[in-house]
């Protein structure tokens, strides 16, 4: 195809006529795999005479084509996937750098840069040895556009290797390129910003971003040395101190924030913060990193950290005094650095003299009600609520960072800082300032409430504080003051406020209840949150709300629909849990409303995700792509689960609730909303288990589950397992009547074992389903025995983990329990002597401690061995006849260990019950540091980071070991990893092994007298005593069953 035709074809991809657009895309897909296509496309992108939109379309296609097909693993190649030809790969390598240098379109440059990164990740350095020299040549060029291209290429080379811990490419690249970059950046700063061309801040931004990217996982030896640290440190300080004239950046603050100069400043702050937080803070440096960074950390904290602190303090003073502007990202980095300075002794000494000034002049203004907050309240109240309530929504803002700094001061240096901070709050409120400042003081109070309510000198004064400073704000003319009043009250209730006066409690409850009808949305939301806390804590409030709980729930539903906030669904869950009796009459209606909300969110999630999946790469995954709707849907589904749990005492209502829920489940499965499968299968499990039945309208869910397992959701067996088990346990009659359902179930099992893309955990789950099939359909799946036994035998010696070894063995044991003669015959027909191999492994498990660790394991083996004792001797395979008498001693060994397993199960049940009942109170010492000294602080956060770093080091070591030896030490798990499954219910739970054994032994004596004599006479004294005890227990249980007094 000639270039003009190809160019015209790409022009159709943005044609307003969807039919023309679709036809063009199909044609491009048809010819995309042809050799020479990529080379031709590169020429079109380079041609300035071609329309820009066409070149952009070509660049996007090129990026996606390289991402999906630059290299294709033959073992994973799709039928529609054609690898890029070698000639086109060469064309890419020879053309990309010149194209980037010549590009005047930022959108095309972005696509080409991403393309370059993907090729570098695959081919550099072995398959592209000239790249480094080419990039060095660009960086040394006198043409500024080539230098920019060199900077872009350097960044993409670094990004290609930033997450590769075991690779030595990045540590090798750093000393090759970073010295040149720091020289270029230093030279750039000799030109004042007022007279600088646009390329200068762009290059500065790229250079600093490159350095920051090299520190994602590690700091190279080169970067730790003075020859690198000193010039880079000098450059970073220069950038931070750089005064940017107003006319060099946009006047609009949002645009100024995004300008290249302020992006460069942001990266400078980010680099210094990263160096200190990750590598340069010796008191917080994890032990696993001490060897690599201990010396650097000591040097950095004594030499560089004081300079950083000094410069940051100067920047804050300029900002506070109005002499300079700071972007939000830069302020976030400053607050984060100050927070990091609180715990180490050396940096705390720098910060301590200034903390009160920083609280009053820098933190307090951030937490006050600013014009920006007012604008957000007026124009987008939902977003205001989201950013003020949802901590995960706004973690990288100055307000969030200021709050974290406040937390760190209060918790880590409590003795020094806490009372002065509260004194400042009190001083502000006593001075009766304007509403925005009162808001700031109360906002600080709400944030500090977990610390206030645990401080011995402060917590008892909170009730008077609420009466004096908060109660009157519930009727304030400023709506944001009514909202913060609700928040302060809710925070104090949540953290354990004790009212000394019931009337005071009543006044505050009345005030909050009134705010539920407030005309302003943020006030209603905060009132709902506060009321939920009061209902949870106070019986009198719970009683007062009871008559109006239906109205409260409707209000919560409306608020949830308006905001899609997870936290409101949590409120609904709490209300449902506390008022399940009152809500029984409206449970179906409530569920219907919740399902409507869920389906709306699910549809919106589908609409947001309706994009071309070929455009996704790791950087795109890091962007916010609208998962909010999915998370909100998850939260609503969790609330629906709470409703289901609350009505399980009324099967009639629960059955109606189920019929409302099933369409939402089917919609989710049909639209393959994989992120929501966990929630949906939890609902299916809960409904089928609580009703102990499968309704006719639920069976399409089973069919969809099978179809999904065989396609997109093959790796969701863990989530599907409980529901599938319930289908066969409580839908037994349907399975007996539907051979196609039995075949589906069997196919899930065999696929879980044979599918190479699934792991051993999936095989364990599949084995559990095979067991459920045999235990629940005794006598109805004779045709399934052959494939089950064949599948299980195929991995008898291949299983790596103890969990799969046991699960697979128990599949074979279940076949014996199902039909012992048929099972042994099938084993022998598959492979002569297979039954002997199986018996050897079974008895090895019986005779070794903890190889059958659970109660169910032991009962299953007893029941299956009893079935063997009742066999006709002529049906016993020759290979195992010799060892047949050993079955009795094997059963006795299991009975000997059974009481210990039962006791361990009971202890586990009691422990779990204890955990559920345990009050989730927080140890005050973990929140407050009341020590007098100013030594280094090591808290839970420090310990958590230590744990993460050590685990990361362990996994790296394991990966390295596996690469060398082919196996890792922890690949083989122990039997102690197999825990009791308390939620697992089996037909064997209702079987009594003692009476079963007594009956089997009698049958054994009658059918095989010789074998019985050999089995019983070979028993030692201990075994004979145990046998008599089992017989006695069996007699007692038989007598109890017949109503005979014992």
């Amino acid at each position: 195809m000639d270039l003009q035709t190809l160019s015209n074809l790409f022009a159709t991809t943005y044609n307003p006529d969807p039919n023309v657009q679709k036809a063009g895309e199909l044609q491009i897909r048809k010819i995309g795999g042809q050799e020479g296509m990529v080379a031709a496309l590169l020429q079109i992108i380079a041609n300035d005479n071609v329309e820009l939109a066409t070149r952009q379309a070509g660049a996007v296609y090129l990026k996606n084509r390289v991402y999906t097909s630059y290299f294709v693993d033959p073992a994973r190649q799709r039928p529609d996937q054609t690898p890029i030809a070698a000639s086109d790969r060469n064309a890419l390598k020879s053309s990309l750098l010149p194209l980037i240098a010549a590009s005047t379109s930022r959108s095309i440059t972005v696509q080409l840069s991403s393309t370059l990164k993907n090729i570098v990740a695959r081919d550099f350095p072995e398959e592209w040895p000239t790249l480094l020299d080419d990039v060095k040549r660009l960086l040394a060029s006198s043409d500024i556009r080539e230098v920019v291209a060199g900077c872009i290429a350097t960044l993409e080379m670094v990004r290609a290797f930033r997450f590769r811990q075991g690779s030595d490419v990045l540590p090798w690249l750093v000393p090759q390129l970073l010295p040149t970059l720091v020289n270029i950046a230093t030279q750039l700063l000799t030109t004042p910003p007022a007279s600088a061309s646009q390329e200068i801040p762009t290059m500065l931004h790229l250079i600093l971003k490159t350095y920051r990217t090299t520190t994602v996982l590690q700091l190279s030896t080169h970067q730790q040395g003075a020859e690198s640290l000193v010039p880079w440190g000098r450059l970073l300080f220069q950038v931070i101190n750089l005064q940017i004239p107003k006319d060099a950046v946009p006047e609009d603050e949002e645009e100024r924030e995004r300008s290249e100069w302020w992006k460069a400043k942001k990266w400078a702050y980010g680099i210094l913060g990263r160096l200190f937080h990750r590598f340069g803070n010796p008191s917080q440096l994890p032990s696993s990193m001490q060897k690599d960074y201990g010396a650097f950390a000591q040097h950095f904290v004594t030499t560089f950290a004081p300079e950083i602190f000094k410069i940051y303090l100067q920047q804050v003073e300029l900002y506070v005094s109005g002499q300079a502007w700071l972007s939000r990202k830069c302020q976030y980095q400053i607050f984060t650095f100050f927070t990091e300075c609180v715990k180490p002794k050396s940096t705390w000494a720098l910060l301590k003299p200034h903390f009160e000034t920083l609280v009053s002049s820098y933190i307090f203004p951030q937490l006050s009600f600013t014009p920006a907050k007012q604008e957000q309240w007026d124009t987008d109240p939902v977003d205001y609520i989201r950013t003020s309530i949802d901590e995960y929504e706004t973690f990288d803002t100055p307000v969030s960072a200021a709050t974290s700094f406040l937390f760190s001061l209060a918790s880590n240096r409590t003795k020094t800082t806490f009372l002065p901070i509260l004194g400042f709050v009190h001083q502000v409120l006593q001075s009766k300032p304007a509403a925005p400042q009162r808001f700031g003081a109360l906002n600080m109070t709400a944030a500090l409430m977990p610390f206030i309510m645990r401080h011995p000198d402060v917590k008892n004064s909170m009730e008077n504080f609420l009466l004096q400073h908060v109660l009157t704000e519930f009727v304030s003319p400023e709506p944001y003051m009514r909202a913060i009043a609700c928040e302060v009250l809710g925070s104090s209730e949540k953290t354990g406020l004790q009212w000394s006066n019931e009337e005071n409690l009543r006044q505050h409850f009345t005030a909050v209840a009134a705010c539920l009808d407030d005309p302003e949305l943020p006030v209603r939301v905060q009132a709902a949150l506060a009321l939920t806390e009061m209902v949870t804590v106070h019986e009198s409030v719970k009683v007062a709300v009871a008559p109006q709980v239906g109205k409260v729930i409707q209000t919560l539903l409306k608020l949830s629909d308006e905001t899609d906030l997870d936290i409101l669904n949590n409120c609904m869950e709490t209300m449902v849990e506390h008022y399940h009796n009152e809500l029984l009459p409206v449970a179906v209606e409530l569920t219907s409303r919740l399902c409507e909300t869920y389906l709306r969110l699910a549809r919106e999630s589908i609409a947001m995700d309706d994009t071309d999946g070929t455009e996704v790469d790791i950087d795109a995954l890091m962007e916010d792509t609208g998962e909010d709707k999915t998370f909100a849907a998850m939260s609503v589904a969790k609330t629906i689960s709470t409703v289901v749990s609350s009505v399980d005492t009324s099967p009639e209502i629960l059955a109606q609730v189920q019929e409302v829920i099933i369409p939402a489940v089917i919609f989710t499965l049909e639209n393959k909303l994989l992120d929501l499968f966990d929630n949906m299968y939890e609902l299916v499990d809960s409904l089928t288990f609580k009703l102990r039945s499968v309704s006719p309208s639920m069976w399409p869910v089973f069919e969809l589950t099978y179809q999904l397992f065989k396609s997109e959701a093959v790796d969701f067996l863990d989530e599907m397992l409980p529901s599938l088990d319930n289908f066969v346990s409580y839908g037994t009659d349907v399975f007996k009547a539907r051979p196609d359902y039995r075949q589906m179930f069997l196919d899930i099992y065999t696929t879980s074992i044979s599918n190479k893309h699934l792991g051993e955990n999936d095989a364990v789950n599949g084995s559990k389903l095979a067991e459920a099939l045999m235990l629940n359909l005794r006598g109805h799946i004779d045709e399934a025995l052959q494939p089950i036994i064949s599948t299980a035998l195929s991995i008898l010696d291949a299983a790596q983990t103890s969990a799969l070894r046991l699960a697979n063995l128990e599949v074979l044991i279940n076949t014996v329990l199902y039909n012992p003669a048929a099972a042994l015959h099938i084993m022998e027909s598959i492979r002569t002597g297979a039954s002997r191999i199986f018996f050897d492994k079974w008895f090895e498990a019986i005779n070794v401690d903890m190889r059958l660790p659970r109660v169910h394991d032991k009962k299953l083996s007893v029941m299956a061995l009893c079935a063997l004792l009742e066999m006709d001797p002529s049906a016993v395979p020759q290979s195992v006849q010799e060892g047949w008498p050993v079955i009795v001693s094997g059963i006795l060994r299991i009975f000997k260990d059974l009481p210990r397993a039962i006791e361990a199960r009971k202890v586990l049940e009691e422990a779990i019950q204890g955990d559920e009942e345990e009050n989730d109170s927080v140890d005050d010492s973990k929140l407050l540091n009341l020590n007098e000294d100013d030594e280094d602080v090591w808290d839970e956060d420090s310990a958590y980071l230590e744990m993460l770093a050590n685990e990361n080091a362990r996994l790296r070591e394991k990966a390295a070991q596996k690469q060398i030896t082919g196996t890792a030490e922890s690949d083989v798990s122990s039997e102690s990893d197999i825990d009791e499954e308390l939620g697992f219910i089996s037909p064997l739970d209702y079987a009594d092994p003692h009476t079963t054994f007594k009956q089997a032994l009698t049958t054994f004596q009658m059918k095989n007298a010789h074998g019985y004599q050999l089995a019983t006479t070979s028993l030692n004294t201990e075994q004979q005593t145990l046998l008599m005890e089992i017989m006695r227990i069996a007699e007692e249980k038989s007598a109890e069953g017949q109503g005979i007094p014992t």
Side-chain angles (χ1 to χ4, degrees):
M1 183 178 289
D2 64 89
L3 293 181
Q4 186 60 53
T5 307
L6 187 61
S7 178
N8 293 340
L9 191 55
F10 273 95
T12 65
T13 61
Y14 54 89
N15 190 291
D17 185 338
N19 294 322
V20 173
Q21 186 177 345
K22 189 69 177 175
E25 290 171 354
L26 289 172
Q27 182 63 21
I28 289 171
R29 195 172 300 170
K30 183 178 177 182
I31 65 170
Q34 294 180 6
E35 185 171 359
M37 168 75 169
V38 169
L41 193 54
L42 289 166
Q43 293 181 57
I44 291 172
I45 296 169
N47 190 343
D48 289 340
N49 295 321
V50 176
E51 190 175 345
L52 178 61
T54 302
R55 292 160 58 213
Q56 288 173 338
V60 170
Y61 173 84
L62 182 68
K63 179 194 74 172
N64 295 331
R65 177 89 170 102
V66 167
Y67 180 72
T68 59
S69 305
Y70 188 79
F71 171 81
V72 180
D73 184 350
R76 296 172 177 265
Q77 185 172 349
R78 300 191 309 268
D80 62 338
Q81 197 175 19
T82 306
I84 293 175
S87 61
D88 282 331
R89 292 203 297 269
N90 292 332
L92 278 164
K93 292 175 191 174
S94 61
S95 303
L96 273 176
L97 292 180
L99 271 178
I100 292 171
S103 173
T104 56
S105 164
R106 185 178 184 279
S107 60
I108 290 178
T109 302
V110 168
Q111 303 300 327
L112 295 176
S113 301
S114 181
T115 304
L116 174 65
K117 182 193 72 177
N118 290 324
I119 298 174
V120 169
R122 182 71 213 172
D123 278 2
F124 184 77
E126 290 84 359
E127 302 297 322
W128 198 353
T130 61
L131 176 62
L132 182 58
D133 289 337
D134 290 341
V135 171
K136 286 181 176 180
R137 181 183 54 77
L138 290 173
L139 291 174
S141 172
S142 57
D143 184 340
I144 193 166
R145 290 173 65 178
E146 289 196 344
V147 180
V148 172
C151 291
I152 291 171
T154 303
L155 174 59
E156 298 307 329
M157 291 171 76
V158 168
R159 292 175 79 194
F161 294 95
R162 62 188 150 160
F163 295 126
R164 299 195 191 177
Q165 284 191 312
S167 170
D168 57 2
V169 174
L170 190 56
W172 171 69
L173 273 178
V174 163
Q176 299 274 354
L177 293 172
L178 259 57
T180 304
L181 293 184
V182 75
N183 290 335
I184 292 172
T186 303
Q187 185 63 34
L188 293 173
L189 288 178
T190 60
T191 305
S195 56
S197 64
Q198 185 55 42
E199 287 87 357
I200 288 179
T202 299
M203 280 193 287
L204 197 58
H205 161 211
L206 289 170
I207 288 169
L208 295 176
K209 187 175 181 179
T210 300
Y211 188 95
R212 174 62 178 81
T213 306
T214 65
T215 66
V216 167
L217 292 178
Q218 56 196 353
L219 191 69
S220 68
T221 306
H222 170 78
Q223 288 165 293
Q224 294 180 46
E227 72 278 9
S228 174
L229 192 59
V230 171
W232 278 101
R234 190 182 300 117
L235 170 67
L236 296 169
F237 292 156
Q238 276 185 274
V239 173
I240 287 171
N241 284 323
L242 195 64
Q243 295 298 310
I244 304 172
K246 287 185 178 181
D247 55 0
V249 290
E251 186 175 345
D252 180 78
E253 287 196 3
E254 291 291 335
E255 292 181 23
R256 197 185 314 167
E257 187 101 25
R258 293 190 294 269
S259 70
E260 292 294 326
W261 281 114
W262 280 100
K263 281 183 180 178
K265 275 183 168 278
K266 176 194 75 174
W267 287 109
Y269 279 108
I271 291 168
L272 290 173
R274 180 66 174 175
L275 290 174
F276 183 55
H277 166 69
R278 173 78 171 169
F279 309 106
N281 188 348
S283 77
Q284 306 298 309
L285 193 67
S287 55
S288 59
M289 297 173 65
Q290 289 287 347
K291 179 182 176 183
D292 292 331
Y293 304 111
F296 172 80
Q298 288 293 344
H299 173 68
F300 193 90
V301 80
T302 55
T303 307
F304 274 84
E307 279 301 308
I308 298 172
F309 181 82
K310 177 183 172 184
I311 289 173
Y312 281 19
L313 203 60
Q314 289 171 353
Q315 295 300 312
V316 169
E317 288 168 354
L318 290 170
Y319 174 75
V320 168
S321 63
Q323 298 176 62
W325 184 81
L326 278 173
S327 72
R328 290 194 300 273
K329 295 291 186 185
C330 292
Q331 290 190 66
Y332 166 77
Q333 295 288 353
I334 290 172
F335 273 123
T336 302
F337 178 77
F338 285 161
T339 303
E340 293 289 337
C341 288
V342 174
K343 292 182 194 177
K345 177 182 177 180
S346 58
T347 50
W348 172 239
L350 302 171
L351 178 60
K352 184 177 179 180
H354 303 282
F355 86 87
E356 290 188 71
T357 304
L358 287 170
V359 168
S360 61
S361 65
Y362 197 35
I363 293 178
F364 176 64
Q366 294 285 352
L367 300 183
S368 296
F369 200 78
T370 60
K373 287 190 177 80
Q374 183 68 64
E375 182 184 357
Q376 190 181 31
W377 180 295
D378 294 337
T379 59
D380 193 347
V382 172
D383 198 44
Y384 174 87
I385 297 164
R386 194 179 302 280
T387 54
S388 61
I389 290 176
D390 192 342
E391 59 184 303
Y392 300 109
E393 189 75 25
T394 57
F395 69 94
D396 61 347
T397 64
V399 173
S400 173
T403 307
S404 296
F405 182 33
L406 190 64
F407 284 173
S408 189
L409 289 170
S411 62
N412 293 307
R413 301 295 178 182
T414 311
K415 196 76 175 177
T416 302
T417 68
F418 195 59
L419 293 180
I421 291 172
L422 294 186
F424 168 75
V425 171
H426 183 72
Q427 178 188 338
V428 171
L429 292 172
Q430 285 296 102
S431 67
K432 305 292 184 186
Q437 284 69 50
R438 297 203 310 277
F439 177 94
L442 292 181
N443 198 9
M444 286 178 68
T445 305
L448 290 170
M449 198 64 73
F451 309 104
I452 292 172
M453 294 308 298
R454 288 175 174 83
H455 196 288
D457 301 334
V458 179
K459 60 182 179 181
N460 295 325
S461 61
M462 200 60 221
E463 184 174 358
N464 284 334
F465 180 90
L466 290 170
L467 289 167
Q468 185 177 354
H469 299 297
V470 179
L471 188 58
T472 55
E473 301 292 4
F474 282 102
V475 292
S476 170
E478 291 86 5
Y480 57 84
M481 292 308 299
R482 302 195 295 272
I484 196 64
C486 291
E487 184 176 352
V488 172
L489 177 60
S491 300
S492 59
E493 291 286 4
K494 187 175 183 178
T495 50
L497 174 67
Q498 298 294 319
W499 295 91
S500 63
N501 185 311
E502 187 69 25
E503 176 59 21
N504 293 341
L505 170 60
R506 188 195 63 77
Q507 287 181 2
H508 284 79
F509 160 62
T510 303
V512 165
C515 286
L516 277 178
D517 296 319
D518 197 280
E520 298 285 342
L521 179 63
V523 180
R524 296 198 299 275
V525 170
Q526 289 289 3
L529 299 178
L531 183 62
T532 304
E533 296 297 341
M534 298 184 85
V535 163
T536 303
V537 176
H538 303 293
E539 186 63 27
S540 60
V541 174
K542 181 182 174 184
V543 171
V545 170
Q548 298 294 319
V549 69
K551 176 178 177 287
V552 173
I553 288 288
Q554 292 297 330
T555 301
L556 289 170
L557 281 166
K558 188 170 184 296
L559 289 172
S560 180
D561 279 342
E562 288 179 275
T563 63
D564 292 340
L565 275 175
D566 289 355
I567 198 165
L568 288 169
N569 291 308
N570 296 338
C571 290
M572 269 188 284
E573 288 178 49
T574 302
M575 289 294 180
V576 169
E577 288 169 356
H578 282 83
Y579 294 103
H580 50 87
N581 291 329
E582 290 86 350
L583 290 171
L584 269 177
V586 295
V588 177
E589 180 189 353
L590 173 58
T591 306
S592 181
R593 283 286 306 277
L594 288 167
C595 285
E596 287 173 11
T597 301
Y598 172 83
L599 287 169
R600 172 181 64 79
L601 292 165
R603 290 188 181 100
E604 290 174 3
S605 176
I606 292 170
M608 287 184 172
D609 290 342
D610 191 17
T611 57
D612 184 359
T614 61
E615 295 187 21
V616 176
D617 64 15
I618 192 168
D619 296 304
L621 291 172
M622 291 179 171
E623 300 296 325
D624 180 16
T625 54
E627 303 97 332
D628 286 352
K629 298 296 180 184
T630 301
F631 286 129
M634 288 177 184
S635 188
V636 174
K638 191 165 176 285
T639 306
I640 296 172
S641 291
T642 304
V643 175
V644 169
S645 298
S646 72
V647 299
D648 61 1
T649 54
S650 174
E652 299 82 7
I653 293 176
L654 183 58
Q656 295 175 51
V657 165
Q658 175 179 251
E659 297 308 308
V660 174
I661 293 172
I662 287 174
V665 175
I666 290 175
F667 177 87
T668 305
L669 301 184
E670 285 181 338
N671 287 279
K672 301 170 183 173
L673 300 176
L674 301 182
D675 290 336
L676 297 170
F677 276 18
D678 194 7
N679 302 87
M680 292 300 100
Y681 281 116
E682 185 180 332
L683 280 169
V684 174
D685 173 33
S686 183
L687 289 166
T688 50
F689 178 75
K690 291 177 187 298
L691 288 167
R692 298 295 198 276
S693 66
V694 181
S695 75
S697 54
M698 187 65 87
W699 285 106
V701 173
F702 171 72
E703 295 174 11
L704 275 168
T705 298
Y706 172 70
Q707 293 164 17
L708 287 162
F709 175 75
K710 294 297 289 183
S711 54
E712 287 89 345
V714 67
D715 53 351
F716 275 79
L717 189 54
D718 209 38
E719 289 79 5
M720 297 171 174
L721 175 67
S723 299
L724 289 170
D725 184 73
N726 290 349
F727 276 117
V728 75
S729 298
Y730 306 123
T732 308
D733 291 339
V734 174
F735 269 92
K736 289 176 181 176
R738 294 286 300 265
D740 56 330
Y741 281 10
R742 298 197 297 271
Q743 181 56 40
M744 289 178 191
F745 220 83
L746 177 62
D747 189 33
I748 293 174
Y749 162 63
T750 55
T751 302
S752 74
I753 301 296
S754 61
N755 191 311
K756 301 300 182 187
H757 297 296
L758 296 179
E760 293 211 345
N761 185 58
D762 297 297
V764 170
N765 289 331
S767 299
K768 290 176 181 177
L769 292 178
E771 181 173 14
L773 197 65
M774 289 183 280
L775 288 175
N776 287 285
L777 297 175
R778 296 281 290 274
H780 294 274
I781 54 160
D782 293 352
E783 74 284 354
L785 274 189
Q786 170 82 29
I788 289 175
I789 292 172
S790 176
T791 302
L793 285 176
S794 71
I795 61 165
L796 194 59
D797 296 314
Q800 296 293 313
T801 60
S802 57
L804 181 55
R805 284 195 295 271
L806 178 58
N808 188 61
L809 179 66
E810 291 191 340
V811 168
L812 292 170
I813 295 171
N814 269 283
T815 64
V816 170
L817 177 60
Y818 179 89
N819 187 330
L824 296 179
H825 172 73
I826 291 170
M827 288 183 198
E828 288 298 313
S829 68
I830 292 171
R831 188 169 74 219
T832 303
S835 58
R836 175 61 183 267
I837 295 170
F838 158 63
F839 268 90
D840 288 346
K841 288 191 175 293
W842 189 3
F843 273 83
E844 180 186 346
I846 290 171
N847 292 314
V848 176
D849 278 348
M850 297 305 292
R851 290 288 291 275
L852 298 175
R854 299 165 300 196
V855 174
H856 173 78
D857 304 328
K858 297 182 188 304
K859 287 182 74 172
L860 172 63
S861 278
V862 168
M863 304 299 284
L865 289 170
C866 287
L868 290 171
L869 288 179
E870 294 177 334
M871 278 180 65
D872 191 296
S874 62
V876 178
Q878 183 71 34
S879 62
V880 294
Q881 284 180 4
E882 177 189 348
W884 211 249
V886 183
I887 291 175
V888 173
S889 61
I891 294 174
L892 292 174
R893 170 64 194 250
I894 297 171
F895 269 115
K896 179 183 175 184
D897 294 339
L898 184 59
R900 185 172 61 180
I902 292 172
E903 180 60 26
R905 181 184 175 93
K906 183 180 176 183
V907 168
L908 182 61
E909 287 172 339
E910 290 172 351
I912 291 174
Q913 185 67 24
D915 288 343
E916 290 175 355
E917 294 174 356
E918 186 178 298
N919 184 9
D920 58 349
S921 59
V922 180
D923 183 357
D924 294 353
S925 64
K926 293 180 179 178
L927 277 177
L928 303 174
N929 177 16
L930 297 171
N931 295 327
E932 297 280 357
D933 59 55
D934 288 337
E935 294 302 311
D936 291 326
V937 174
W938 183 267
D939 61 3
E940 281 192 323
D941 289 341
S942 310
Y944 179 66
L945 291 174
E946 165 85 6
M947 182 273 294
L948 287 180
N950 291 344
E951 178 65 8
N952 187 32
R954 186 188 70 80
L955 291 173
R956 284 203 312 272
E957 185 178 342
K958 176 183 172 183
Q961 179 188 0
K962 192 167 186 177
Q963 196 170 14
I964 295 169
T965 65
T967 59
E969 185 180 339
S970 58
D971 280 352
V972 181
S973 57
S974 67
E975 279 69 27
S976 61
D977 295 337
I978 303 173
D979 296 323
E980 281 284 353
E981 297 173 327
L982 300 182
F984 176 68
I985 296 176
S986 158
L988 292 184
D989 293 347
Y990 310 104
D992 176 49
H994 297 84
T995 54
T996 302
F997 178 44
K998 180 177 182 294
Q999 179 184 333
L1001 200 60
T1002 303
T1003 305
F1004 184 39
Q1005 184 178 17
M1006 293 170 57
K1007 286 188 175 182
N1008 191 347
H1010 177 67
Y1012 174 82
Q1013 185 179 10
L1014 285 175
T1016 52
T1017 56
S1018 63
L1019 299 177
N1020 60 33
T1021 305
E1022 182 186 4
Q1023 289 172 322
Q1024 291 174 358
T1025 304
L1026 179 59
L1027 177 59
M1028 289 190 292
E1029 177 63 15
I1030 294 167
M1031 294 301 108
R1032 184 189 66 77
I1033 294 172
E1035 290 284 356
E1036 287 181 357
K1037 294 194 174 186
S1038 296
E1040 288 171 5
Q1042 297 171 14
I1044 302 171
T1046 55

